[in-house]
Amino acid sequence: MDQVASRTLRILLVDDHELFRAGLRQLLDRIDSLTVVGEASSGADVLSAVERLAPDVVLMDIGMPGTDGIEATRTLLARHPRVAVVMLTADDQDDSIVAAVRAGARGYLVKGAGLDDVRRAITAVSQGGALFGPEAAVQLLAQVRRPAPEREPFPDLTPRELAVLTMLADGRNNASIANEFGLSMKTVRNYLSRIFGKLQVTDRAEAAVRARRAGLGT
């Protein structure tokens, strides 16, 4: 721990918005104990960037098109378990927080968190600890305290993912699902991507078949 704390920590920024990455880099450049070694603009680029740049900590956007932050984290940590991941998100939905933790993230911050919060999270995860913003901590505590259902299909799915899968089993399209939950189309696509990955299916038709066989849908 002391050895990690005494050296400059190498940071990789992953976000599909260039302006956000630029702003975050400017903030982190103010901290002498940190150095931003590179950036990636998509989840698909994370693994190659980590292998090329050898960061200690990855600050990972959770909602990216294609391979989202959850799936990118799961893939990254399967190959490089010593790299610490802090999730950055525009919201603090409880299902995203739980999915991030299950994928292996050790930190979770809402975008717009103060520089001190980001610094503390980076320091904590680099030393083997975990740090979640106050909103995320409340949501995680609620999840832990919530009694588990006696029997539930697809236990790896979060409650929101299960609800989305149920609507998929009912033949609802993305626009209908987005309208039902007040989500953007991008967020719905991210949910479906995570569901397909967890169910190990390739498309919505196969996912719907598995869901109906498990008793989901009307």
Side-chain angles (χ1 to χ4, degrees):
M1 265 188 206
D2 292 339
Q3 185 178 0
V4 173
S6 64
R7 66 179 175 83
T8 300
L9 294 172
R10 298 169 61 83
I11 311 299
L12 173 67
L13 307 181
V14 183
D15 195 286
D16 59 324
H17 292 97
E18 184 178 359
L19 288 178
F20 179 79
R21 296 198 311 270
L24 184 56
R25 179 187 277 267
Q26 284 186 337
L27 287 176
L28 296 178
D29 282 344
R30 300 178 188 174
I31 304 175
D32 293 336
S33 60
L34 308 178
T35 181
V36 177
V37 294
E39 303 176 11
S41 59
S42 73
D45 296 331
V46 170
L47 188 59
S48 61
V50 166
E51 293 177 343
R52 185 176 71 255
L53 300 168
D56 300 298
V57 178
V58 176
L59 298 183
M60 180 93 71
D61 179 26
I62 200 170
M64 293 180 287
T67 303
D68 65 12
I70 301 293
E71 188 59 34
T73 297
R74 188 180 294 111
T75 301
L76 165 62
L77 296 180
R79 293 280 296 275
H80 301 281
R82 294 186 179 181
V83 176
V85 176
V86 175
M87 283 296 184
L88 299 175
T89 178
D91 58 45
D92 57 351
Q93 295 179 351
D94 57 352
D95 51 351
S96 295
I97 297 168
V98 173
V101 173
R102 286 177 173 168
R106 287 192 243 152
Y108 191 103
L109 294 174
V110 175
K111 289 182 178 179
L115 181 59
D116 286 342
D117 292 329
V118 177
R119 177 186 55 77
R120 281 194 293 269
I122 290 173
T123 301
V125 301
S126 70
Q127 296 176 355
L131 194 146
F132 299 88
E135 301 91 349
V138 170
Q139 297 284 4
L140 277 175
L141 186 60
Q143 285 286 330
V144 170
R145 290 176 172 173
R146 184 177 301 163
E150 293 183 4
R151 297 183 63 186
E152 183 177 281
F154 310 116
D156 287 341
L157 299 185
T158 67
R160 177 57 62 84
E161 288 168 352
L162 193 62
V164 170
L165 179 60
T166 299
M167 297 185 72
L168 189 67
D170 283 334
R172 305 277 286 273
N173 60 26
N174 288 11
S176 177
I177 295 171
N179 184 64
E180 179 75 18
F181 295 116
L183 303 173
S184 68
M185 293 290 283
K186 174 183 175 182
T187 300
V188 172
R189 288 193 295 270
N190 287 338
Y191 275 124
L192 291 176
S193 175
R194 294 204 293 269
I195 291 168
F196 295 168
K198 291 180 180 180
L199 268 57
Q200 298 183 339
V201 299
T202 58
D203 56 36
R204 61 192 303 129
E206 190 177 355
V209 169
R210 285 202 57 190
R212 293 189 194 107
R213 285 175 179 171
L216 299 182
T218 57

